[in-house]
Amino acid sequence: MRPSFLSLVGLAAGLGLLPGGPARAQGPQGPDSLAQQLRRYGRQALAEELFVHTDRPAYAAGETAWLKVYAVDGTFHRPLALSTVAYVELLGPDRRPVLQAKLALREAQAQGQGALALPAGLPTGRYVLRAYTNWMKNAGPDFYFQAPISVVNTWQPLAAGAPTAAPAPAPAGASTADVQFFAEGGQLVQGLPGGVGFKATDGQGRGVAVAGTVADGRGAPVATFQSLRAGMGSFRFTPAPGATYTATVRLPGGQTITRALPAAAPAGYALLLNDDAADAGFLRLAVRARPAPGAPADAGALHLVAHTGQQVTAVATAALAGGEAVFRVEKRQLREGITHFTVFSGRRPVAERLYFRRPAHPLAVQGRTAAASYGPRAAAAVQLQAGRAAAASVAVYRLDSLAAAAPAQDITAYLLLAADLPGYVEDAGYYCRDSSATAQQAADNLMLTQGWRRFRWDDVLAGAGPPPAAFPPEATGYLLQGRISRPDGGPAPGVAAYLSLPGRPFWFDNALSQAGGRIQFEVPNFYGVRKLVLQTNPLRDSLYRVELLSPFTAGGGAPVPGLPPLPARWAPGLAERHLQGQVQQAFAAAAPRFRPVPGDTVAFYGRPNEHYRLDDYTRFPTVEEVMREYVPGVLVRKRKDGFHFLVVDRPNHAVLRENPLTLLDGLPVFDINQIMAFDPLKIKGLDVMASRYFLGPAVYDGVVSYTTYQGDLGGFPLNPRALIEEYEGLQVPREFYAPRYDTEAQQRSRLPDLRNLLYWNPDVRLAAQQPQELAFFTSDQAGRYLVVVQALAPGGQSGSTSFTFEVKPAL
């Protein structure tokens, strides 16, 4: 269990039902008090989650991965316009980043889009696509979005295509499998019936089917077990006082391994959850207590608090009678997704159990193609309809051997299930798609082996609230962070730093270093690669060192299973994929096209009091003459140390005493002598703010801002101690390109078209109950194609659908 930020805006409490009606305990020890503290704790912070829809689940090296990002709150899964930047990484098998990008999230829609160009030399393996915001860093990497991405380098022979994540060979006779056992409710108790969940994985983290026997210390069997799905299963037995237990696990291939079961406590509480056989509408939670020596057998009442996404859904109290308390909870009270049932003795949590409720009413999304099959270079159409208005993203790709081996994504399964579980969940969509009793039991096994919550009850009951947020939300723009150090390497707090992004338009900002020497600048509309200059004032702080800090998280998160060795039967399909990639690259029809991005047309100070376009005047050979002749609002004075500017404060009819903030293309000029020595023929314009100007922690006696014709500083000498680099801001979104075959000449073109991704649209708007048609053209590549649709409604309802069609070769 790890502390994290809770979601919660407007929580509403439900009632837990006991036989004969709802029961409520009064006073500070009752469940209402516990629920109220959870609500109070939750209202102090907000959880944010991301879901990333990729155009395909598997790629060949050298292809482009197209992305759509949905940002939602962690409780109701409604679009959450909190952050404006999403950080996306592709992590290699060693958990180190291969690619990184910063994607803009549109404030009104809480969505973003982007692309990752996979390097042609990327080794074959299973990679992790990870995404998060600055605010999500407060929760930690375990709560970031992550999904496996398979990449095959088709330049490598199939025999050499073993995954880079493969572990070293195990010694002869040894097994690389891992089997873990988990006590239901948190612990086994001697003499009390208890449940045990287990999970078996192979050396690469994939679930494997196992069976086995549990025996006591004398070798007598007490239980048998068998996995149901993805290597997970469960069983029940009653541990005897003083006994220890060992499981003998039979692995695929006939190998066996032994593992010790969790030790049973001599005293405590054992919780068992059952679907009530007598009434399918209820869950039965039975809690049995074994008191410590000398304690009374019946220790009063137990309290139950149930919550989903930290929204309280049920509270109840049950008396301990004969060492047992029973809670009956109506299923329809529970919200869709994962419910946490926590049992308290007084104010002490003594047992916890998770339960998954499938979505009963997901967003209905329907789709079909206008025809079951098409020919090459034919006009195709996808018809979509949703039960309510929703934002959607659509991908159409060929189901070759590589793509067919990976399950398609499911936004509902991620938001309701995978987002609240640690580690990797194999095919999370299965638990939402299948409504059978087998699937419910499989989901229950998942809850036993991978469940947790986003906070600690100790923190809730202490009443102190969540810890202070170390990472603020990037609500209005990208936060660029750095650090200032003394010459000896120690932090330098209280030092002014200046950030410049020269260009047209330019950007300038200043900040004062805080504890640890950290500095932070908010840079709105920072797209693409730009020159960045970060410095302190060389006239005062010439020995300080400045550095930029990466906004990306290093390490953390749970690994996903590695990519197994590629089957020999994939060889023809991979050879075909290799040919497709080379042909598409050799006959690229068009250069990448980019979407327009928002930008500022004026400088950070807004509209100046005075503006001078120097080409409108006679050009003088020195800046001094320009200032004296044309700029009456700025007085030029020469003292022992050289030139100074004094701005005339017009509102107050006074002359300001200090040099104004003097800029050249956004670069601060601390020594006025330098700007006086600059060639005035390189200066295009001049702005003056004729009054005191407040910017962050600084107050300036006016602003004098010069701009060159190209916005490139015109060769102005830079501070040799400044940090200067080409820095990449937000990714400029690319347009997805696909050729059209509207005319006969286009149809007869001899340029090959071997696309396996026919269509990608990250910005589809579906109206409620209104059919919408999306048109595209097929390629020369025959085969079966999959259409995948992900959709999210403003109210938080999500849904997805997928369907196929054929492209048949020309006769």
Side-chain angles (χ1 to χ4, degrees), residues 101-113:
K102 311 175 190 81
L103 306 185
L105 297 175
R106 289 171 289 182
E107 295 180 29
Q109 298 152 336
Q111 298 168 20
Q113 56 186 277

Side-chain angles (χ1 to χ4, degrees), residues 301-661:
L302 298 179
H303 311 304
L304 176 72
V305 175
H307 60 88
T308 302
Q310 287 74 68
Q311 182 187 27
V312 177
T313 57
V315 293
T317 295
L320 270 170
E324 181 180 28
V326 177
F327 299 92
R328 291 182 70 240
V329 179
E330 193 172 6
K331 292 182 185 179
R332 67 180 182 181
Q333 286 182 260
L334 307 178
R335 291 183 59 225
E336 297 172 348
I338 297 175
T339 293
H340 299 249
F341 292 107
T342 308
V343 178
F344 292 82
S345 175
R347 292 176 56 82
R348 180 170 61 94
V350 295
E352 186 166 78
R353 179 67 153 84
L354 273 63
Y355 175 79
F356 178 68
R357 184 186 177 195
R358 292 179 62 253
H361 304 288
L363 175 65
V365 182
Q366 299 175 334
R368 63 183 181 88
T369 52
S373 63
Y374 297 93
R377 304 193 180 190
V382 169
Q383 297 171 353
L384 302 177
Q385 184 172 320
R388 61 185 69 202
S393 45
V394 181
V396 181
Y397 59 90
R398 185 170 179 260
L399 281 172
D400 58 11
S401 54
L402 180 60
Q409 294 173 293
D410 187 320
I411 186 173
T412 302
Y414 178 78
L415 295 179
L416 294 183
L417 180 67
D420 287 327
L421 294 178
Y424 171 64
V425 180
E426 291 187 50
D427 191 10
Y430 162 79
Y431 303 99
C432 292
R433 294 190 304 267
D434 196 328
S435 60
S436 67
T438 300
Q440 182 59 54
Q441 181 59 54
D444 215 44
N445 294 335
L446 180 66
M447 296 300 100
L448 286 170
T449 58
Q450 287 187 237
W452 71 355
R453 50 181 150 79
R454 288 177 174 257
F455 64 94
R456 299 190 318 132
W457 272 107
D458 289 347
D459 297 333
V460 175
L461 301 179
F471 301 95
E474 293 175 303
T476 58
Y478 174 55
L479 294 178
L480 190 146
Q481 297 181 323
R483 181 187 296 118
I484 302 179
S485 305
R486 299 192 306 263
D488 61 2
V495 177
Y498 305 89
L499 172 70
S500 304
L501 299 175
R504 299 181 63 185
F506 64 80
W507 183 257
F508 169 82
D509 199 2
N510 54 222
L512 196 66
S513 59
Q514 305 301 310
R518 294 179 69 94
I519 49 177
Q520 178 172 284
F521 305 91
E522 186 174 64
V523 190
N525 301 324
F526 180 10
Y527 287 87
V529 178
R530 295 183 61 174
K531 177 182 284 188
L532 178 150
V533 182
L534 179 61
Q535 60 184 320
T536 59
N537 187 338
L539 301 182
R540 293 199 308 255
D541 310 313
S542 61
L543 298 181
Y544 287 115
R545 177 176 178 269
V546 293
E547 61 180 317
L548 288 174
L549 301 178
S550 171
F552 294 94
T553 298
V560 300
L563 185 66
L566 305 181
R569 67 179 184 276
W570 283 20
L574 294 179
E576 188 177 53
R577 193 75 172 256
H578 178 78
L579 177 63
Q580 293 169 5
Q582 300 314 302
V583 169
Q584 290 302 109
Q585 186 174 25
F587 296 95
R593 295 182 297 179
F594 297 93
R595 294 174 179 265
V597 295
D600 295 317
T601 58
V602 297
F604 67 94
Y605 45 76
R607 188 171 183 176
N609 301 119
E610 300 176 16
H611 173 71
Y612 301 91
R613 187 175 178 271
L614 297 192
D615 284 341
D616 294 339
Y617 302 87
T618 301
R619 302 305 298 252
F620 286 98
T622 66
V623 174
E624 179 183 1
E625 291 177 282
V626 171
M627 299 300 294
R628 292 186 184 277
E629 293 294 331
Y630 301 145
V631 190
V634 180
L635 305 181
V636 178
R637 296 290 185 266
K638 195 169 185 180
R639 301 171 185 167
K640 292 182 179 180
D641 57 350
F643 288 101
H644 291 264
F645 287 160
L646 300 178
V647 171
V648 178
D649 185 355
R650 290 185 177 179
N652 297 305
H653 305 286
V655 176
L656 301 177
R657 293 175 174 271
E658 303 293 334
N659 281 327
L661 171 63

Side-chain angles (χ1 to χ4, degrees), residues 258-289:
T258 59
R259 293 290 186 269
L261 261 62
Y269 298 83
L271 183 154
L272 293 174
L273 182 147
N274 294 286
D275 274 358
D276 196 325
D279 188 345
F282 285 84
L283 295 175
R284 183 178 187 274
L285 289 89
V287 185
R288 293 179 174 85

Side-chain angles (χ1 to χ4, degrees), residues 736-753:
F736 176 77
Y737 170 79
R740 299 188 61 84
Y741 299 104
D742 297 300
T743 67
E744 184 177 352
Q746 291 171 326
Q747 287 274 350
R748 298 172 64 87
S749 170
R750 299 183 63 183
L751 284 177
D753 181 0

Side-chain angles (χ1 to χ4, degrees), residues 40 44 53 202 208 243 307 439 462 489 519 580 607 656 711 757 768 809:
R40 186 181 305 116
Q44 297 179 49
H53 178 198
D202 63 13
V208 294
H307 60 88
I519 49 177
Q580 293 169 5
R607 188 171 183 176
L656 301 177
L757 176 66

